[in-house]
Amino acid sequence: MTLHVSIFYGSVINPVSLTKYEALPKCLLAVGPDGAVIWLEQDVPEHLIRNTLAHHGLVDVKIDLVVLKHGEFIIPGFVDTHTHAPQFPNTGRGQQYKLLDWLKYVTFPMEKQFTDENLKFAQRTYDIVVKRTIDLGTTTCCYYGTLHLEATKILVDIAHACGQRAFVGKCNMDIDRSPEPSDYVEKDAQHSEETTKQLIKYIRELESNSCHPKSEPLVKPILTPRFALSCTHDLLLRLRKLADPDPTLHIQTHISENRKEIEATLEAFPEARSYADVYDIYGLLRHNTVLAHGVHLGDDEIELIKERKAGISHCPVSNFNLQSGIAPIGKYLDHGLKVGLGTDISGGISPSMLTVIQQASVASKVVALQSTDQGSTSTGFANRQLSVAALFYLATMGGAQVCDIDKQVGSFAPGKSFDALLVSVRPETEHPIIWTDDVGSHTAEVTKELLDLYLERFLFGGDDRNILRTYVQGRFIGGKSFKP
């Protein structure tokens, strides 16, 4: 059997830390048949490509060589740590509401439509959702489904078929504690537990029957208590019984998004010292827990989350849109919390991680402007604007850390999966915002300084027109040049 290897030659930009990334103009990167990076070599002149391949033993093998043009570069794919798949049809609606009213008048009525009698609607919606996020460069996505089992299975099937790396959860919500409760709840805690167990079994059987034996499953289950207010004590205890014996089972929920939500949560759980403590009491705060928002965390909560090694999904677009506040992400980073970025559709108004990156930058600048010292007395991140390196890291490696998959994705290294975007800032993308007059026809040698410029242009002015290819586990699955 002939070994099949994909070789990429050209500009690669690789996150290293919150303060540093590698800009490699002449990188040679090899991807094996299992979709993992075999090796990457820096600073390889074009005339030495063949010699370098021979040095790595790639002589009698089938090679697919992709040579990047000037103005094209490869980066790791984006990790969206928090979004609601059934809310995509609501994108752009409900601007007049804050969180709890937005849920009541906009969100729950939409999610109620994903019933067993309306599975064609779920199929149409989720097909658009997954394909759109892939084309926008999201290689890993944490999806909330609705409380409906069969519709959530459809979301699983589509993510699996399209080749996206995904965490998919059926919402757990057996109570509405608002003064005028909605009927959008499960009939009881036992039903919520049983349907959750069925979804976990469905996902794991689907992936075990089709996944390459040496690869991690692309689609994984994730426990999804919507937020503490949507769960009775009985349900949280049942979810703990599911989570305790299975440390590989991921968890996602919301925390401290809105001040009224926090007050209501502490009233509903008087035994808890804080919002974070509610989840800790029920064993749902651990190394693979994704906590969305965290806008108003107290110092004791920050320390508890750090101790439990849980992560924060920063959703600045949603936090601005629903008037929830601005999360002090720099402070969290200084305290050593894991932080990634999330689109949070449809609280957020764009499914693009590029929009989130841009708004995360704005949020950090607002925090800095509101501070008395604006970071002048600090060498860390608190009260300072986030740099390009920090934003790039949060969208890639930071998200991978929050999802507890940073040993597998988030950057390029031997043994890691090739989840990647082939980006172009060339004139033929016909993007009116990105300046391209110095790209494409330019014949000078690509330098690190040019790559710095191209990355910044893409992050702050780019969109799906600039994403030519999206790869997951070495497989070309989307992007502008993708032909199904």
Side-chain angles (χ1 to χ4, degrees):
M1 181 177 179
T2 303
L3 185 66
H4 193 119
V5 177
S6 297
I7 301 293
F8 296 86
Y9 179 69
S11 299
V12 173
I13 305 176
N14 199 20
V16 176
S17 70
L18 287 161
T19 59
K20 179 183 177 182
Y21 59 83
E22 295 176 320
L24 311 172
K26 296 179 180 179
C27 185
L28 198 62
L29 189 152
V31 179
D34 62 351
V37 176
I38 307 173
W39 48 261
L40 60 124
E41 293 278 3
Q42 304 181 19
D43 198 23
V44 179
E46 189 171 355
H47 69 277
L48 291 181
I49 291 177
R50 188 179 297 275
N51 288 350
T52 306
L53 296 178
H55 172 74
H56 285 280
L58 299 180
V59 179
D60 296 321
V61 299
K62 183 178 180 181
I63 292 176
D64 286 335
L65 178 63
V66 177
V67 178
L68 277 63
K69 301 175 183 177
H70 187 118
E72 295 179 348
F73 54 91
I74 290 175
I75 62 172
F78 295 135
V79 180
D80 186 348
T81 55
H82 179 67
T83 204
H84 296 263
Q87 293 180 24
F88 272 62
N90 273 345
T91 305
R93 290 189 57 215
Q95 311 301 304
Q96 69 272 36
Y97 296 114
K98 293 185 180 180
L99 175 65
L100 298 181
D101 285 339
W102 172 79
L103 288 171
K104 178 179 179 179
Y105 296 113
V106 180
T107 300
F108 291 164
M110 173 57 68
E111 293 193 12
K112 284 173 64 176
Q113 297 183 46
F114 288 77
T115 62
D116 290 357
E117 295 73 35
N118 203 16
L119 293 181
K120 288 184 179 179
F121 174 69
Q123 181 75 40
R124 290 196 308 272
T125 301
Y126 290 151
D127 188 64
I128 293 171
V129 168
V130 174
K131 291 176 180 177
R132 185 167 295 172
T133 56
I134 289 171
D135 287 343
L136 287 166
T138 299
T139 51
T140 298
C141 197
C142 290
Y143 288 118
Y144 281 59
T146 61
L147 54 78
H148 309 98
L149 174 62
E150 295 306 318
T152 308
K153 285 182 180 178
I154 290 174
L155 175 58
V156 170
D157 291 341
I158 292 172
H160 174 83
C162 290
Q164 187 178 46
R165 197 178 303 279
F167 295 90
V168 181
K170 184 197 73 65
C171 272
N172 301 112
M173 39 192 304
D174 67 336
I175 189 172
D176 184 345
R177 291 183 167 92
S178 61
E180 298 177 10
S182 165
D183 60 353
Y184 181 59
V185 293
E186 297 169 286
K187 63 181 181 181
D188 54 42
Q190 182 179 357
H191 177 266
S192 184
E193 176 192 15
E194 287 302 318
T195 51
T196 298
K197 289 166 67 175
Q198 290 178 47
L199 182 67
I200 292 170
K201 183 172 183 282
Y202 181 82
I203 294 173
R204 287 178 169 167
E205 288 183 348
L206 177 70
E207 285 289 338
S208 65
N209 290 335
S210 60
C211 199
H212 190 284
K214 292 184 179 180
S215 300
E216 281 286 312
L218 286 181
V219 183
K220 293 183 178 181
I222 186 166
L223 280 185
T224 307
R226 187 179 205 112
F227 58 161
L229 283 176
S230 72
C231 300
T232 60
H233 297 257
D234 183 20
L235 178 53
L236 291 175
L237 284 171
R238 289 173 181 271
L239 294 180
R240 177 170 192 164
K241 289 180 181 178
L242 285 177
D244 278 352
D246 188 354
T248 68
L249 182 59
H250 288 68
I251 302 166
Q252 63 180 353
T253 190
H254 298 77
I255 190 170
S256 298
E257 181 177 357
N258 170 284
R259 292 196 185 278
K260 286 188 176 180
E261 167 215 2
I262 297 169
E263 293 172 4
T265 300
L266 295 179
E267 183 178 339
F269 297 90
E271 71 276 19
R273 294 168 297 175
S274 66
Y275 200 149
D277 193 42
V278 175
Y279 295 130
D280 197 46
I281 288 171
Y282 291 97
L284 300 176
L285 203 62
R286 62 188 195 183
H287 69 284
N288 52 7
T289 297
V290 182
L291 299 167
H293 303 292
V295 177
H296 307 288
L297 295 175
D299 290 344
D300 58 332
E301 293 181 289
I302 295 172
E303 290 306 312
L304 178 59
I305 292 168
K306 178 183 178 181
E307 183 179 343
R308 296 293 184 261
K309 299 181 181 179
I312 299 294
S313 174
H314 179 36
C315 307
V317 183
S318 173
N319 295 338
F320 281 132
N321 189 44
L322 297 180
Q323 307 167 66
S324 298
I326 302 174
I329 293 304
K331 178 180 179 180
Y332 299 165
L333 294 174
D334 284 350
H335 279 78
L337 294 192
K338 299 184 296 186
V339 178
L341 301 179
T343 57
D344 192 28
I345 295 296
S346 65
I349 56 175
S350 171
S352 171
M353 286 289 287
L354 290 170
T355 302
V356 180
I357 289 168
Q358 294 152 20
Q359 292 300 302
S361 176
V362 171
S364 70
K365 292 173 182 176
V366 173
V367 170
L369 286 170
Q370 292 175 339
S371 171
T372 55
D373 66 2
Q374 296 190 26
S376 61
T377 61
S378 170
T379 57
F381 297 94
N383 302 324
R384 294 176 179 269
Q385 72 176 74
L386 293 171
S387 67
V388 171
L391 293 164
F392 182 44
Y393 189 87
L394 293 180
T396 52
M397 271 297 291
Q401 290 169 343
V402 168
C403 294
D404 196 41
I405 54 173
D406 51 299
K407 293 182 179 178
Q408 184 183 0
V409 302
S411 64
F412 301 128
K416 279 194 166 187
S417 299
F418 186 69
D419 288 17
L421 309 180
L422 198 165
V423 176
S424 173
V425 292
R426 291 172 58 83
E428 53 262 35
T429 63
E430 298 183 341
H431 196 307
I433 294 177
I434 292 183
W435 185 261
T436 60
D437 278 12
D438 56 354
V439 185
S441 61
H442 189 57
T443 57
E445 185 176 0
V446 178
T447 63
K448 178 187 181 303
E449 290 71 28
L450 268 179
L451 288 184
D452 292 339
L453 174 64
Y454 294 163
L455 177 64
E456 187 172 12
R457 284 180 179 173
F458 171 62
L459 294 183
F460 286 90
D463 59 25
D464 56 308
R465 284 169 288 189
N466 303 103
I467 301 172
L468 301 186
R469 297 187 179 193
T470 300
Y471 292 89
V472 171
Q473 198 72 40
R475 178 185 168 196
F476 177 22
I477 65 167
K480 185 179 178 181
S481 62
F482 181 69
K483 300 284 190 286

